Coordinates of all heavy atoms in Angstrom, one line a residue:
A1084 N 11.8 5.9 4.5 CA 12.0 7.2 5.0 C 11.2 7.5 6.2 O 11.7 8.1 7.1 CB 11.6 8.2 3.9
M1085 N 10.0 7.1 6.3 CA 9.2 7.3 7.5 C 9.8 6.5 8.6 O 9.7 6.9 9.8 CB 7.7 6.8 7.2 CG 7.0 7.7 6.3 SD 5.3 7.1 5.9 CE 4.6 7.0 7.5
W1086 N 10.3 5.3 8.4 CA 10.9 4.5 9.5 C 12.1 5.2 10.0 O 12.4 5.2 11.2 CB 11.2 3.1 9.0 CG 11.7 2.2 10.1 CD1 13.0 1.7 10.2 CD2 11.0 1.8 11.3 NE1 13.1 1.0 11.4 CE2 11.9 1.0 12.1 CE3 9.6 1.9 11.7 CZ2 11.5 0.4 13.3 CZ3 9.3 1.4 12.9 CH2 10.2 0.6 13.7
R1087 N 12.9 5.8 9.1 CA 14.2 6.4 9.4 C 13.9 7.6 10.3 O 14.6 7.9 11.3 CB 15.0 6.9 8.2 CG 16.3 7.5 8.5 CD 17.1 7.9 7.3 NE 18.3 8.5 7.7 CZ 19.2 9.0 6.9 NH1 19.0 8.9 5.6 NH2 20.2 9.7 7.3
W1088 N 12.9 8.3 10.0 CA 12.5 9.6 10.7 C 11.3 9.4 11.6 O 10.6 10.3 12.0 CB 12.1 10.7 9.7 CG 13.2 11.2 8.9 CD1 13.7 10.6 7.7 CD2 14.2 12.2 9.1 NE1 14.9 11.2 7.2 CE2 15.1 12.3 8.1 CE3 14.3 13.1 10.2 CZ2 16.2 13.1 8.1 CZ3 15.3 13.9 10.2 CH2 16.3 14.0 9.1
R1089 N 11.1 8.2 12.1 CA 10.0 7.9 13.0 C 9.9 8.6 14.3 O 8.8 9.0 14.8 CB 10.0 6.3 13.3 CG 11.2 5.8 14.1 CD 11.3 4.3 14.2 NE 12.4 3.9 14.9 CZ 13.5 3.5 14.3 NH1 13.6 3.6 13.0 NH2 14.5 3.0 15.0
D1090 N 11.1 8.9 14.9 CA 11.1 9.7 16.1 C 10.6 11.1 16.0 O 9.9 11.6 16.8 CB 12.5 9.6 16.8 CG 12.8 8.2 17.2 OD1 12.0 7.5 17.6 OD2 14.1 7.9 17.2
V1091 N 11.1 11.7 14.8 CA 10.6 13.0 14.6 C 9.1 13.1 14.3 O 8.4 14.0 14.8 CB 11.3 13.6 13.3 CG1 10.8 15.0 12.9 CG2 12.8 13.6 13.6
L1092 N 8.6 12.1 13.5 CA 7.1 12.0 13.3 C 6.4 11.8 14.6 O 5.3 12.4 14.8 CB 6.8 10.9 12.3 CG 7.4 11.2 10.9 CD1 7.2 9.9 10.0 CD2 6.8 12.3 10.2
L1093 N 6.9 10.9 15.5 CA 6.1 10.7 16.7 C 6.2 11.9 17.6 O 5.2 12.3 18.3 CB 6.7 9.5 17.4 CG 6.4 8.2 16.8 CD1 7.2 7.0 17.5 CD2 5.0 7.8 16.9
G1094 N 7.3 12.6 17.7 CA 7.5 13.8 18.5 C 6.5 14.9 18.0 O 5.9 15.6 18.7
A1095 N 6.4 15.1 16.7 CA 5.5 16.1 16.0 C 4.1 15.7 16.3 O 3.3 16.6 16.7 CB 5.8 16.1 14.6
G1096 N 3.7 14.5 16.3 CA 2.4 14.0 16.6 C 2.0 14.3 18.1 O 0.9 14.7 18.3
L1097 N 3.0 14.1 18.9 CA 2.7 14.3 20.4 C 2.6 15.8 20.6 O 1.8 16.3 21.4 CB 3.9 13.8 21.2 CG 3.7 13.8 22.7 CD1 2.5 12.8 23.1 CD2 5.0 13.2 23.3
A1098 N 3.4 16.6 19.9 CA 3.3 18.1 20.0 C 1.9 18.6 19.5 O 1.3 19.5 20.1 CB 4.4 18.8 19.3
L1099 N 1.5 18.0 18.4 CA 0.1 18.4 17.8 C -1.0 18.0 18.8 O -1.9 18.7 18.9 CB -0.1 17.7 16.5 CG 0.7 18.4 15.3 CD1 0.6 17.5 14.1 CD2 0.4 19.8 15.1
L1100 N -0.9 16.8 19.4 CA -1.9 16.4 20.4 C -1.9 17.4 21.6 O -2.9 17.8 22.0 CB -1.6 15.0 20.9 CG -2.5 14.5 22.0 CD1 -3.9 14.3 21.5 CD2 -1.9 13.2 22.6
G1101 N -0.7 17.8 22.0 CA -0.6 18.8 23.1 C -1.2 20.1 22.6 O -1.9 20.8 23.4
L1102 N -1.0 20.6 21.4 CA -1.6 21.8 20.9 C -3.1 21.7 20.9 O -3.8 22.6 21.2 CB -1.0 22.0 19.5 CG -1.3 23.4 18.9 CD1 -0.7 24.5 19.7 CD2 -0.7 23.5 17.4
W1103 N -3.7 20.6 20.5 CA -5.1 20.3 20.5 C -5.6 20.5 21.9 O -6.7 21.0 22.2 CB -5.4 19.0 19.9 CG -6.9 18.7 19.7 CD1 -7.8 19.4 19.0 CD2 -7.5 17.6 20.3 NE1 -9.0 18.8 19.1 CE2 -8.9 17.7 20.0 CE3 -7.2 16.5 21.2 CZ2 -9.9 16.8 20.4 CZ3 -8.1 15.6 21.6 CH2 -9.4 15.8 21.2
F1104 N -4.9 19.9 22.9 CA -5.3 20.0 24.3 C -5.3 21.5 24.8 O -6.2 21.9 25.5 CB -4.4 19.2 25.3 CG -4.7 17.7 25.3 CD1 -5.7 17.2 24.5 CD2 -3.9 16.9 26.0 CE1 -5.9 15.8 24.5 CE2 -4.2 15.5 26.1 CZ -5.2 15.0 25.3
V1105 N -4.3 22.2 24.4 CA -4.2 23.6 24.7 C -5.4 24.4 24.2 O -6.0 25.3 24.8 CB -2.8 24.2 24.3 CG1 -2.8 25.8 24.4 CG2 -1.7 23.6 25.1
W1106 N -5.7 24.2 22.9 CA -6.8 25.0 22.2 C -8.1 24.6 22.8 O -8.9 25.5 22.9 CB -6.8 24.7 20.7 CG -5.8 25.7 20.0 CD1 -5.2 26.7 20.5 CD2 -5.3 25.5 18.7 NE1 -4.4 27.3 19.5 CE2 -4.5 26.5 18.4 CE3 -5.6 24.5 17.7 CZ2 -3.8 26.6 17.2 CZ3 -4.9 24.6 16.5 CH2 -4.1 25.7 16.2
G1107 N -8.4 23.3 23.1 CA -9.7 23.0 23.4 C -9.9 22.6 24.9 O -11.0 22.4 25.4
G1108 N -8.8 22.6 25.6 CA -8.9 22.2 27.0 C -9.1 23.4 28.0 O -8.8 24.5 27.6
I1109 N -9.4 23.0 29.2 CA -9.5 24.0 30.2 C -8.8 23.4 31.5 O -8.7 22.2 31.6 CB -10.9 24.5 30.6 CG1 -11.8 23.3 31.0 CG2 -11.5 25.2 29.4 CD1 -13.2 23.6 31.5
G1110 N -8.3 24.3 32.4 CA -7.8 23.8 33.6 C -6.6 23.0 33.4 O -5.6 23.3 32.7
I1111 N -6.5 21.8 34.1 CA -5.4 20.9 34.1 C -5.1 20.3 32.7 O -3.9 20.0 32.3 CB -5.6 19.8 35.1 CG1 -4.2 19.2 35.4 CG2 -6.5 18.8 34.7 CD1 -4.0 18.5 36.7
V1112 N -6.2 20.1 31.9 CA -6.0 19.6 30.5 C -5.2 20.5 29.7 O -4.3 20.1 28.9 CB -7.3 19.2 29.8 CG1 -7.1 18.8 28.4 CG2 -8.1 18.2 30.7
K1113 N -5.4 21.8 29.9 CA -4.6 22.8 29.1 C -3.1 22.7 29.5 O -2.2 22.8 28.6 CB -5.2 24.2 29.4 CG -4.7 25.3 28.5 CD -5.5 26.5 28.7 CE -5.3 27.4 27.5 NZ -6.1 28.5 27.4
W1114 N -2.9 22.7 30.8 CA -1.5 22.6 31.3 C -0.8 21.2 30.8 O 0.4 21.2 30.5 CB -1.4 22.7 32.8 CG -1.7 24.1 33.2 CD1 -2.8 24.6 33.7 CD2 -0.8 25.2 33.0 NE1 -2.7 26.0 33.9 CE2 -1.4 26.4 33.4 CE3 0.5 25.4 32.4 CZ2 -0.9 27.6 33.4 CZ3 1.1 26.6 32.4 CH2 0.4 27.7 32.9
L1115 N -1.6 20.2 30.8 CA -1.1 18.9 30.2 C -0.7 19.1 28.8 O 0.3 18.5 28.3 CB -2.2 17.8 30.4 CG -1.8 16.5 29.8 CD1 -0.7 15.8 30.7 CD2 -3.0 15.5 29.9
G1116 N -1.5 19.8 28.0 CA -1.2 20.1 26.6 C 0.2 20.8 26.5 O 0.9 20.5 25.6
Y1117 N 0.4 21.9 27.4 CA 1.8 22.5 27.3 C 2.9 21.5 27.6 O 3.9 21.6 26.9 CB 1.8 23.6 28.3 CG 1.0 24.8 27.9 CD1 0.0 25.4 28.8 CD2 1.2 25.5 26.7 CE1 -0.7 26.5 28.5 CE2 0.5 26.6 26.4 CZ -0.5 27.1 27.2 OH -1.3 28.2 26.9
G1118 N 2.7 20.6 28.5 CA 3.7 19.6 28.7 C 3.9 18.7 27.6 O 5.1 18.3 27.3
L1119 N 2.8 18.3 26.9 CA 2.9 17.4 25.8 C 3.6 18.1 24.6 O 4.4 17.5 23.9 CB 1.6 16.9 25.3 CG 0.9 15.9 26.2 CD1 -0.5 15.5 25.7 CD2 1.7 14.6 26.3
I1120 N 3.4 19.4 24.4 CA 4.0 20.2 23.4 C 5.5 20.2 23.6 O 6.4 19.9 22.7 CB 3.5 21.6 23.3 CG1 2.1 21.6 22.7 CG2 4.4 22.5 22.4 CD1 1.4 22.9 22.8
L1121 N 6.0 20.5 24.9 CA 7.4 20.5 25.3 C 8.0 19.1 25.1 O 9.1 19.0 24.5 CB 7.5 21.0 26.7 CG 9.0 21.1 27.2 CD1 9.8 22.2 26.4 CD2 9.0 21.5 28.7
L1122 N 7.3 18.1 25.6 CA 7.9 16.8 25.4 C 8.0 16.3 23.9 O 9.0 15.8 23.5 CB 7.0 15.7 26.2 CG 7.4 14.3 26.3 CD1 8.8 14.2 26.9 CD2 6.4 13.4 26.9
G1123 N 7.0 16.7 23.2 CA 7.0 16.4 21.7 C 8.1 17.1 21.0 O 8.8 16.5 20.1
L1124 N 8.4 18.3 21.3 CA 9.5 19.0 20.7 C 10.8 18.5 21.0 O 11.7 18.3 20.2 CB 9.4 20.6 21.1 CG 8.3 21.3 20.4 CD1 8.2 22.8 21.0 CD2 8.4 21.3 19.0
I1125 N 11.0 18.2 22.3 CA 12.3 17.5 22.7 C 12.5 16.1 22.0 O 13.6 15.9 21.6 CB 12.3 17.3 24.2 CG1 12.4 18.7 24.9 CG2 13.5 16.4 24.7 CD1 12.2 18.7 26.4
W1126 N 11.4 15.4 21.9 CA 11.5 14.1 21.2 C 11.8 14.3 19.8 O 12.6 13.5 19.2 CB 10.2 13.4 21.4 CG 10.2 11.9 21.0 CD1 11.1 11.2 20.4 CD2 9.1 11.0 21.3 NE1 10.8 10.0 20.3 CE2 9.5 9.8 20.8 CE3 8.0 11.0 21.9 CZ2 8.7 8.6 20.9 CZ3 7.2 9.9 22.0 CH2 7.5 8.7 21.5
A1127 N 11.2 15.3 19.1 CA 11.5 15.5 17.7 C 12.9 16.0 17.5 O 13.5 15.6 16.5 CB 10.5 16.5 17.2
I1128 N 13.4 16.8 18.3 CA 14.8 17.3 18.1 C 15.8 16.1 18.3 O 16.7 15.9 17.5 CB 15.1 18.4 19.1 CG1 14.3 19.7 18.7 CG2 16.6 18.8 19.2 CD1 14.3 20.8 19.8
A1129 N 15.6 15.3 19.4 CA 16.5 14.2 19.5 C 16.3 13.2 18.4 O 17.3 12.5 18.0 CB 16.2 13.5 20.9
G1130 N 15.1 13.0 18.0 CA 14.8 12.1 16.8 C 15.5 12.5 15.5 O 15.9 11.8 14.7
A1131 N 15.6 13.9 15.3 CA 16.3 14.4 14.1 C 17.7 14.0 14.2 O 18.3 13.7 13.1 CB 16.0 15.9 14.0
Q1132 N 18.3 14.1 15.3 CA 19.7 13.7 15.5 C 19.9 12.3 15.1 O 20.8 11.9 14.3 CB 20.3 14.1 16.9 CG 20.6 15.5 17.1 CD 21.1 15.8 18.4 OE1 21.0 14.9 19.4 NE2 21.9 16.8 18.5
R1133 N 19.1 11.4 15.7 CA 19.2 10.0 15.5 C 18.9 9.7 14.0 O 19.6 8.8 13.4 CB 18.2 9.2 16.3 CG 18.5 9.2 17.8 CD 17.4 8.5 18.5 NE 17.6 8.6 19.9 CZ 18.4 7.8 20.6 NH1 19.1 6.9 20.0 NH2 18.6 8.0 21.9
A1134 N 18.0 10.3 13.4 CA 17.7 10.1 12.0 C 18.8 10.5 11.1 O 19.1 9.7 10.1 CB 16.4 10.8 11.5
R1135 N 19.5 11.5 11.4 CA 20.7 11.9 10.6 C 21.8 10.9 10.8 O 22.7 10.6 9.9 CB 21.2 13.2 11.1 CG 20.3 14.4 10.6 CD 20.8 15.7 11.0 NE 22.1 16.0 10.6 CZ 22.9 16.9 11.1 NH1 22.4 17.6 12.1 NH2 24.1 17.2 10.6
F1136 N 21.8 10.2 11.9 CA 22.9 9.2 12.2 C 22.6 7.8 11.6 O 23.5 7.1 11.1 CB 23.0 9.0 13.7 CG 24.2 8.1 14.1 CD1 25.5 8.6 14.2 CD2 24.0 6.7 14.4 CE1 26.5 7.8 14.5 CE2 25.0 5.9 14.7 CZ 26.3 6.5 14.9
R1137 N 21.3 7.5 11.4 CA 20.9 6.2 10.8 C 21.3 6.1 9.4 O 21.0 7.0 8.6 CB 19.4 5.9 11.0 CG 18.9 5.6 12.3 CD 17.5 5.3 12.3 NE 17.0 5.2 13.7 CZ 16.2 6.2 14.2 NH1 15.7 7.2 13.5 NH2 15.8 6.1 15.5
Q1138 N 21.9 5.0 9.0 CA 22.3 4.8 7.6 C 21.7 3.6 7.0 O 22.1 3.2 5.9 CB 23.9 4.7 7.5 CG 24.6 5.9 8.1 CD 24.4 7.1 7.3 OE1 24.4 7.1 6.0 NE2 24.1 8.2 7.9
G1139 N 20.8 3.0 7.7 CA 20.2 1.7 7.2 C 21.0 0.5 7.7 O 22.2 0.6 8.0
G1140 N 20.3 -0.6 7.9 CA 21.0 -1.8 8.5 C 21.2 -2.9 7.5 O 21.2 -4.1 7.9
D1141 N 21.6 -2.5 6.3 CA 21.8 -3.6 5.3 C 23.3 -3.9 4.9 O 23.6 -4.6 4.0 CB 21.1 -3.3 3.9 CG 21.5 -2.0 3.4 OD1 22.2 -1.2 4.1 OD2 21.0 -1.6 2.3
G1142 N 24.2 -3.3 5.7 CA 25.6 -3.5 5.6 C 26.1 -4.8 6.2 O 25.3 -5.5 6.8
P1143 N 27.4 -5.0 6.0 CA 27.9 -6.3 6.6 C 28.1 -6.2 8.1 O 28.5 -5.2 8.6 CB 29.3 -6.4 5.9 CG 29.6 -5.0 5.6 CD 28.4 -4.3 5.3
G1144 N 27.8 -7.4 8.8 CA 28.0 -7.4 10.2 C 26.9 -7.0 11.0 O 25.9 -6.5 10.6
V1145 N 27.0 -7.3 12.3 CA 26.0 -7.0 13.3 C 26.7 -6.3 14.5 O 27.8 -6.7 15.0 CB 25.3 -8.3 13.8 CG1 24.3 -8.0 14.9 CG2 24.6 -9.0 12.6
V1146 N 26.1 -5.2 15.1 CA 26.6 -4.6 16.2 C 25.7 -4.9 17.4 O 24.5 -4.9 17.3 CB 26.6 -3.0 16.0 CG1 27.0 -2.3 17.3 CG2 27.5 -2.7 14.9
Q1147 N 26.3 -5.3 18.5 CA 25.6 -5.5 19.8 C 26.2 -4.8 20.9 O 27.4 -4.7 21.0 CB 25.5 -7.0 20.1 CG 24.8 -7.9 19.3 CD 24.8 -9.3 19.8 OE1 25.6 -9.7 20.6 NE2 23.8 -10.1 19.2
I1148 N 25.3 -4.2 21.7 CA 25.8 -3.4 22.9 C 25.1 -4.0 24.1 O 23.9 -3.9 24.2 CB 25.5 -2.0 22.7 CG1 26.2 -1.4 21.5 CG2 26.0 -1.2 24.0 CD1 25.8 -0.1 21.1
R1149 N 25.9 -4.5 25.1 CA 25.3 -5.0 26.3 C 26.2 -4.6 27.4 O 27.4 -4.8 27.4 CB 25.2 -6.5 26.2 CG 24.3 -7.0 25.2 CD 23.6 -8.3 25.7 NE 22.6 -8.6 24.7 CZ 22.6 -9.7 24.0 NH1 23.5 -10.6 24.1 NH2 21.6 -9.9 23.2
E1150 N 25.6 -3.9 28.4 CA 26.3 -3.5 29.6 C 27.6 -2.8 29.4 O 28.6 -3.1 29.8 CB 26.5 -4.7 30.6 CG 25.2 -5.4 31.0 CD 25.5 -6.5 31.9 OE1 26.6 -6.8 32.4 OE2 24.5 -7.2 32.2
R1151 N 27.5 -1.8 28.5 CA 28.6 -0.9 28.1 C 29.7 -1.7 27.4 O 30.9 -1.3 27.5 CB 29.0 -0.1 29.3 CG 28.0 0.8 29.8 CD 28.3 2.1 30.4 NE 29.5 2.8 30.1 CZ 29.5 3.9 29.3 NH1 28.4 4.2 28.6 NH2 30.6 4.5 29.1
R1152 N 29.4 -2.8 26.8 CA 30.4 -3.6 26.0 C 29.9 -3.7 24.7 O 28.8 -4.1 24.4 CB 30.6 -4.9 26.6 CG 31.6 -5.8 25.8 CD 32.0 -7.0 26.5 NE 33.0 -6.6 27.5 CZ 33.7 -7.5 28.3 NH1 33.5 -8.7 28.1 NH2 34.5 -7.1 29.1
L1153 N 30.7 -3.2 23.7 CA 30.4 -3.1 22.3 C 31.0 -4.3 21.6 O 32.2 -4.5 21.7 CB 30.8 -1.7 21.8 CG 30.4 -1.4 20.4 CD1 30.1 0.1 20.4 CD2 31.4 -1.8 19.3

Side-chain angles (χ1 to χ4, degrees):
M1085 288 175 59
W1086 185 249
R1087 180 177 180 185
W1088 293 89
R1089 65 187 177 267
D1090 293 328
V1091 175
L1092 295 172
L1093 288 172
L1097 191 63
L1099 286 175
L1100 178 66
L1102 192 59
W1103 184 61
F1104 281 1
V1105 167
W1106 276 345
I1109 57 171
I1111 196 160
V1112 173
K1113 193 171 195 168
W1114 287 105
L1115 179 65
Y1117 287 123
L1119 287 177
I1120 291 171
L1121 181 63
L1122 184 63
L1124 290 175
I1125 291 170
W1126 193 349
I1128 290 169
Q1132 287 183 333
R1133 289 178 187 276
R1135 288 178 56 198
F1136 187 81
R1137 286 186 191 110
Q1138 301 295 315
D1141 56 351
V1145 176
V1146 176
Q1147 287 184 349
I1148 301 167
R1149 294 215 172 116
E1150 297 181 9
R1151 301 209 26 100
R1152 178 168 282 187
L1153 189 145

